[in-house]
Amino acid sequence: MRTTQKTGNHHARGSIAERAGGYLRTRTALGGSLVRIAAELRSRRVPVRWSNLFGVVAFASVAVLFVSGVILMFFYTPSSEPVTYNGSYTPLTGAEVSKAFDSTMTISFEVRGGLLLRQLHHWAALLLPAAIIMQLLVMFFTGGFRRPRQASWVMLFLLLIVALAGGWSGYALPDDMLSGSGLRIVEGIVLGIPVIGSWMSALLFGGEFPGSIVEHLYPIHVLIVPVALVVLLIGRAWSSYTHKPPQFAAPGHTEDNVVGVPMLPNATARAGGLFALVVGVLMLISATVTISPIWLYGPADPGNASAGSQPDWYTGFLDGALRLVPPGWEFELFGYTWTLAVLVPLAVVGVFLTMVALYPYIEGWITHDREDHHILDRPRNAATRTGIGVAGMVFYGVLWGAASADIAATRFGLGLESVIIGFQIALLVGPLIAFELTRRACLALQKKDREIALHGYETGRIVRLPGGEYIEVHEPLDKYDRWKLVAHEHPKPFIARPDDRGRIRATHLVRARLAKWFLEDHIPPADDPAVEAAARTRETLHSGVEFTEVSSRR
């Protein structure tokens, strides 16, 4: 009885933890703020789309990079000072290596779990750019970059650039032969820049190659890149919180609402589960698949290079751009040697990346679109934009493939010159062909959608009318399917009009021509009157008529 009485009093008064939690929630400013934030997160809705998961993959990669990187910092020595290796890897015993290489070998063979951490850090660095690129592609093809999310697109693009910079700077820190070969290429590119090339090389390397490159790259990798990642991630999160998430067209989906699951706890639980899964897969790969075996490459040597060396995948397009320039592209002017073999790839890649970063503003200027968009496009309904996206993918893919032209020539028994010429032709012709084929495919899909919206799906049933005519029976669409096919708008092309003085500005003429090219190829969706007219025609045709079943295609 005494025990029961105590238990009853305990439940009546509540536990100490419950009373403390209630006091913090109701009596403190922080507790009240947390309660309000939790209530708001429960009220916010998040669309259920598989493409949203790429953001979680990127965030998990960043988290793994931060945790593994902080631990590795305690054992790594960022110094190019030479020492004699006396570690546990006997094939290199007595070799002269840098302190950076020596500490990396110590991490790999003498620190408990060190090799796992190194490989985990490396695999996460490979996954992060892939996840960001997938996010960029999803935003591009669905029009998710339009107002009011242009800044979010730019921040996502800058995240990619920062991830590339972080990966490249970390790639060089072990100071092994492979990273040394990559740094020698970087030195050649920098020296090839007229007027300022020598000064930039001395600033980057701290003198003659290799100089103090490890000491210069280490602050970039452990300070500048992490700070930039955190700032951009916070900016992206704030932009997503401020502007409601976009959604695809469907019944009940409007520009003013969001249909989906609550952010807390549903969406958070989904994201948490995927976060744990990504971390687990990275751990599994890191524990079973070897990457960056620097003990096989050996220490960096300015006089040697690794045969068949390849960059990490995310910087391959830069290497490929250098390989596709024809030989002999240089001349002398003003007392300087102008090496087009370096300047042209830098200019082409720079223009390409600039166009990617500014594309939301370029399309908005061409289409004269000043409205906010919260409904995403189906890629087929924006034929020109989709064609541009596929052309850009082909352009990037050709540059990326050209980085391995020597490996392709060796493995397939082809001449290196023939492989390079093939990539050069593909770089010039491939994007144009890809653009036109993609645009035509989108127009064909638009036409097919219009036919389905008007007449329904083909059932495969062939019947004969009393008059001898053969027709196929179509099944009408339900409300959801029809909505997806007809609920999209197409902006009208910009028209150049004269001003008060009767003159038309040159910029308006350029915009009008670009808008006509961008928007002219489009098949209008079936509107409600057309759908109703098609339904009345079907009813009139079928009413009072007896069919004769001829065949059924399955």
Side-chain angles (χ1 to χ4, degrees):
M1 291 297 295
R2 188 173 300 173
T3 303
T4 305
Q5 184 65 33
K6 288 183 178 180
T7 304
N9 292 337
H10 171 76
H11 285 293
R13 298 176 57 188
S15 65
I16 296 177
E18 290 174 350
R19 282 181 288 168
Y23 177 82
L24 291 175
R25 288 192 299 269
T26 59
R27 301 295 182 86
T28 63
L30 177 60
S33 299
L34 293 177
V35 170
R36 288 192 298 271
I37 292 174
E40 184 177 355
L41 292 179
R42 291 190 185 95
S43 63
R44 292 177 70 92
R45 294 294 184 266
V46 178
V48 180
R49 292 193 292 119
W50 63 268
S51 56
N52 289 339
L53 303 179
F54 291 120
V56 180
V57 175
F59 182 73
S61 302
V62 171
V64 170
L65 285 171
F66 274 61
V67 173
S68 58
V70 168
I71 299 175
L72 290 173
M73 284 175 58
F74 291 101
F75 304 97
Y76 177 76
T77 303
S79 174
S80 301
E81 181 181 346
V83 296
T84 300
Y85 179 75
N86 291 312
S88 58
Y89 188 72
T90 54
L92 289 178
T93 300
E96 184 177 281
V97 300
S98 65
K99 286 186 176 181
F101 183 88
D102 183 71
S103 63
T104 307
M105 291 290 291
T106 301
I107 293 172
S108 302
F109 289 98
E110 300 175 28
V111 175
R112 187 180 299 273
L115 182 59
L116 175 63
L117 280 176
R118 273 196 61 233
Q119 298 191 151
L120 181 64
H121 195 75
H122 202 138
W123 280 115
L126 295 180
L127 180 61
L128 177 59
I132 297 175
I133 288 176
M134 292 304 299
Q135 285 183 274
L136 286 169
L137 291 176
V138 170
M139 285 189 69
F140 182 88
F141 286 112
T142 61
F145 56 81
R146 295 172 296 174
R147 289 174 57 96
R149 299 176 183 84
Q150 299 99 322
S152 181
W153 168 273
V154 174
M155 286 188 287
L156 185 60
F157 173 80
L158 292 178
L159 269 174
L160 175 62
I161 299 301
V162 172
L164 298 184
W168 173 76
S169 58
Y171 172 83
L173 291 182
D175 202 27
D176 60 298
M177 184 70 74
L178 183 60
S179 63
S181 301
L183 289 175
R184 177 64 86 176
I185 296 174
V186 172
E187 184 208 21
I189 295 173
V190 174
L191 288 175
I193 302 175
V195 183
I196 62 174
S198 300
W199 174 80
M200 291 182 61
S201 177
L203 179 65
L204 178 63
F205 291 92
E208 287 293 329
F209 182 87
S212 304
I213 185 63
V214 173
E215 291 86 343
H216 291 180
L217 290 181
Y218 185 72
I220 297 175
H221 188 72
V222 303
L223 181 61
I224 298 177
V225 168
V227 170
L229 283 176
V230 171
V231 170
L232 291 172
L233 286 174
I234 292 175
R236 284 268 300 168
W238 178 253
S239 177
S240 300
Y241 184 81
T242 304
H243 307 296
K244 59 186 179 182
Q247 56 190 348
F248 283 103
H253 295 197
T254 68
E255 295 282 355
D256 301 321
N257 69 353
V258 177
V259 179
V261 299
M263 179 175 290
L264 191 69
N266 302 63
T268 305
R270 290 169 181 259
L274 181 60
F275 182 94
L277 182 62
V278 171
V279 173
V281 171
L282 284 174
M283 289 289 293
L284 178 63
I285 294 176
S286 303
T288 55
V289 181
T290 301
I291 192 170
S292 186
I294 62 170
W295 53 91
L296 299 180
Y297 304 147
D301 186 351
N304 296 314
S306 297
S309 60
Q310 299 292 306
D312 280 336
W313 76 267
Y314 46 81
T315 56
F317 73 103
L318 300 173
D319 195 5
L322 294 171
R323 299 191 184 202
L324 293 185
V325 179
W329 275 26
E330 62 182 30
F331 60 91
E332 291 187 5
L333 184 64
F334 305 122
Y336 296 98
T337 300
W338 299 76
T339 306
L340 297 181
V342 173
L343 298 180
V344 170
L346 290 178
V348 170
V349 172
V351 170
F352 174 74
L353 295 178
T354 302
M355 295 289 287
V356 172
L358 300 180
Y359 183 84
Y361 303 97
I362 296 174
E363 181 178 315
W365 181 80
I366 292 175
T367 60
H368 202 62
D369 187 2
R370 305 291 178 84
E371 302 292 331
D372 288 349
H373 297 276
H374 303 293
I375 300 295
L376 297 173
D377 288 333
R378 299 178 76 198
R380 65 183 64 182
N381 294 330
T384 304
R385 180 202 300 152
T386 303
I388 292 173
V390 175
M393 292 173 60
V394 171
F395 180 82
Y396 175 88
V398 171
L399 293 181
W400 183 75
S404 299
D406 54 340
I407 302 298
T410 303
R411 294 295 176 89
F412 295 100
L414 303 173
L416 179 60
E417 293 80 5
S418 301
V419 175
I420 292 295
I421 291 174
F423 276 114
Q424 290 172 341
I425 295 174
L427 185 67
L428 298 176
V429 180
L432 300 177
I433 297 176
F435 171 80
E436 190 61 27
L437 290 179
T438 302
R439 187 165 65 167
R440 291 301 151 193
C442 289
L443 293 175
L445 291 172
Q446 290 180 25
K447 183 178 180 181
K448 182 66 174 179
D449 287 347
R450 179 179 174 85
E451 292 295 323
I452 293 176
L454 291 175
H455 307 294
Y457 288 109
E458 298 177 355
T459 62
R461 292 179 57 221
I462 308 299
V463 298
R464 186 177 64 183
L465 300 179
E469 180 184 1
Y470 291 90
I471 65 171
E472 182 176 6
V473 178
H474 288 69
E475 181 180 353
L477 278 70
D478 58 23
K479 182 180 179 181
Y480 177 80
D481 291 334
R482 182 180 294 112
W483 194 285
K484 290 195 303 182
L485 301 182
V486 302
H488 62 91
E489 298 179 356
H490 192 66
K492 296 180 180 179
F494 174 78
I495 300 176
R497 302 184 185 277
D499 56 15
D500 297 338
R501 299 182 180 181
R503 294 180 300 182
I504 300 178
R505 296 181 181 178
T507 55
H508 288 184
L509 287 175
V510 173
R511 178 188 287 187
R513 291 175 182 175
L514 290 175
K516 182 180 179 181
W517 168 79
F518 194 90
L519 301 172
E520 64 179 352
D521 285 339
H522 176 70
I523 297 175
D527 52 12
D528 292 339
V531 173
E532 294 174 359
R536 287 195 300 269
T537 301
R538 278 197 310 271
E539 293 176 359
T540 302
L541 179 64
H542 295 172
S543 60
V545 177
E546 295 183 0
F547 296 110
T548 302
E549 185 86 21
V550 177
S551 66
S552 179
R553 296 177 299 176
R554 298 295 182 190

